[in-house]
Amino acid sequence: MEVRPDYYDSFRCIADKCRHNCCIGWEIDIDDDTLKKYQTTDGSLNEKLNKNIALDPCAHFVLSENERCPFLNNQNLCELIIAGGEDMLCQICKDHPRFFGDIYGVTEKGVGISCEAAARLILTKTSPVKLISDSVVPNNDFFNYRNEIFTILQNREKSLNDRIAELLAWADVSLPINDIDFIEVYKKLERLDNDWDNYLDSIDTISFSIPQALEIPCEQLICYFIYRHLSGALEDFMFAERIQFAVLSCLIIASLSKNTEAMIEISRMYSCEIEYSDENINILLDILNEYNEK
Ligand code: SF4
């Protein structure tokens, strides 16, 4: 069985209209099945594929000097799709920005906000996100725990600030933004784009107060982080820390955003910088865990 947010099926890549194309700046690994297909492809693509694939340490496309995928043409369209359709894509390109998880035999699907089209889809959704499934989700502690979090976060009879306070109290933690200088912590994390430093430099303090105009996108954002990251706690038991991480991430993004449009771009960048780096997430979770255990 599978679970997905109700916006999942509406996702569409905006291709040449994308300002931050996922075929630029990321290493693109090639799975074994696709590699075999590429190695036996003949015709006009054969020579270019041979020239632009490296096998060490694992098969990947050799990016050009400005870090573009060698098959991204001047109109920012994929030459592999143009030549052979979507079947020519390696698995990572077929999937991105979708992510998948397996929780107690349930396949969970989502779209990641490192993609600007996915960030826009999620943050401009006005109704509370629903998790939909093709059959009844097992009644177990994890799914019940996550449902309770969603119920607290989506109770629009209260302000989002009150819902966040309620959530932290329910998880029996606080968010140590007055005790830990998180801006300095974030500045020391692994960096992808130096512009991120400029954003961090512009924050005076992380505010606990979310402006009313950003309540709905912030609610969607925290729910997204919970949906995507809470299940990691099934391995390391850092449930409360992941709730704190979701709230902290939202507060930082909200502190940098004047309106929803700005928030879409900041969220995209935050996701690329923080969310897609296991190393960065683990540093933040460890800091929160150390604080909680004091
Ligand atoms: S980042 Fe998203 S919208 Fe842009 S090219 Fe990639 S999948 Fe498409």
Side-chain angles (χ1 to χ4, degrees):
M1 83 175 276
E2 70 170 49
V3 168
R4 61 197 187 281
D6 54 2
Y7 51 71
Y8 180 87
D9 295 330
S10 306
F11 172 74
R12 300 283 177 277
C13 169
I14 52 174
D16 56 324
K17 295 185 190 66
C18 179
R19 288 171 301 163
H20 304 281
N21 198 298
C22 54
C23 312
I24 304 171
W26 303 83
E27 179 164 314
I28 305 165
D29 293 340
I30 305 167
D31 53 286
D32 292 345
D33 288 346
T34 310
L35 181 64
K36 275 186 208 134
K37 185 192 290 184
Y38 288 166
Q39 286 170 333
T40 52
T41 296
D42 46 22
S44 60
L45 279 179
N46 176 277
E47 194 183 341
K48 187 161 180 179
L49 280 165
N50 279 336
K51 255 195 212 158
N52 288 287
I53 291 175
L55 299 176
D56 190 35
C58 60
H60 61 277
F61 290 118
V62 180
L63 300 185
S64 64
E65 258 175 37
N66 45 10
E67 301 216 305
R68 293 171 66 89
C69 172
F71 290 94
L72 190 64
N73 72 14
N74 291 339
Q75 286 81 47
N76 279 355
L77 293 171
C78 174
E79 288 177 6
L80 291 170
I81 296 183
I82 292 169
E86 297 244 344
D87 278 353
M88 280 303 289
L89 293 179
C90 57
Q91 197 59 43
I92 209 168
C93 292
K94 272 187 197 142
D95 289 347
H96 187 85
R98 296 168 191 86
F99 60 84
F100 306 94
D102 185 346
I103 304 170
Y104 297 117
V106 176
T107 301
E108 294 213 324
K109 298 176 167 182
V111 284
I113 57 171
S114 65
C115 159
E116 64 187 69
R120 181 173 300 283
L121 178 69
I122 295 169
L123 297 189
T124 58
K125 179 175 166 53
T126 52
S127 58
V129 63
K130 285 194 193 114
L131 300 181
I132 54 175
S133 60
D134 48 7
S135 58
V136 180
V137 176
N139 180 6
N140 70 26
D141 287 349
F142 174 76
F143 293 119
N144 293 341
Y145 183 83
R146 192 174 65 187
N147 286 346
E148 287 208 45
I149 295 173
F150 269 57
T151 302
I152 293 170
L153 286 172
Q154 294 179 327
N155 177 6
R156 294 190 179 177
E157 287 178 7
K158 296 182 179 175
S159 72
L160 185 58
N161 294 320
D162 286 349
R163 286 178 254 164
I164 288 173
E166 185 182 337
L167 176 63
L168 292 171
W170 176 83
D172 201 18
V173 282
S174 59
L175 192 61
I177 54 176
N178 296 323
D179 301 314
I180 297 173
D181 187 346
F182 277 106
I183 301 304
E184 282 309 309
V185 171
Y186 274 72
K187 281 182 185 169
K188 289 187 185 127
L189 297 178
E190 183 186 50
R191 178 76 63 262
L192 200 63
D193 181 342
N194 289 332
D195 280 353
W196 182 235
D197 283 314
N198 299 334
Y199 280 116
L200 292 175
D201 283 341
S202 71
I203 302 182
D204 291 331
T205 50
I206 302 171
S207 171
F208 236 122
S209 176
I210 290 173
Q212 206 180 2
L214 292 182
E215 279 207 345
I216 291 180
C218 284
E219 172 198 305
Q220 306 292 16
L221 190 61
I222 304 179
C223 288
Y224 162 83
F225 283 126
I226 293 289
Y227 178 67
R228 180 156 196 183
H229 295 286
L230 190 69
S231 57
L234 291 168
E235 283 179 16
D236 59 21
F237 300 103
M238 288 204 244
F239 289 94
E241 289 78 3
R242 283 184 169 76
I243 291 172
Q244 290 168 301
F245 168 72
V247 173
L248 175 66
S249 301
C250 178
L251 294 184
I252 291 181
I253 291 167
S255 298
L256 286 164
S257 307
K258 288 193 183 74
N259 50 41
T260 304
E261 194 57 36
M263 198 171 157
I264 290 167
E265 169 56 10
I266 308 281
S267 300
R268 180 202 66 76
M269 201 168 200
Y270 184 93
S271 174
C272 294
E273 294 292 333
I274 309 298
E275 216 200 348
Y276 276 73
S277 163
D278 288 343
E279 187 183 325
N280 285 348
I281 290 193
N282 287 335
I283 290 171
L284 292 166
L285 292 177
D286 285 344
I287 289 171
L288 291 163
N289 179 254
E290 199 177 310
Y291 177 82
N292 293 345
E293 302 225 318
K294 267 186 200 161

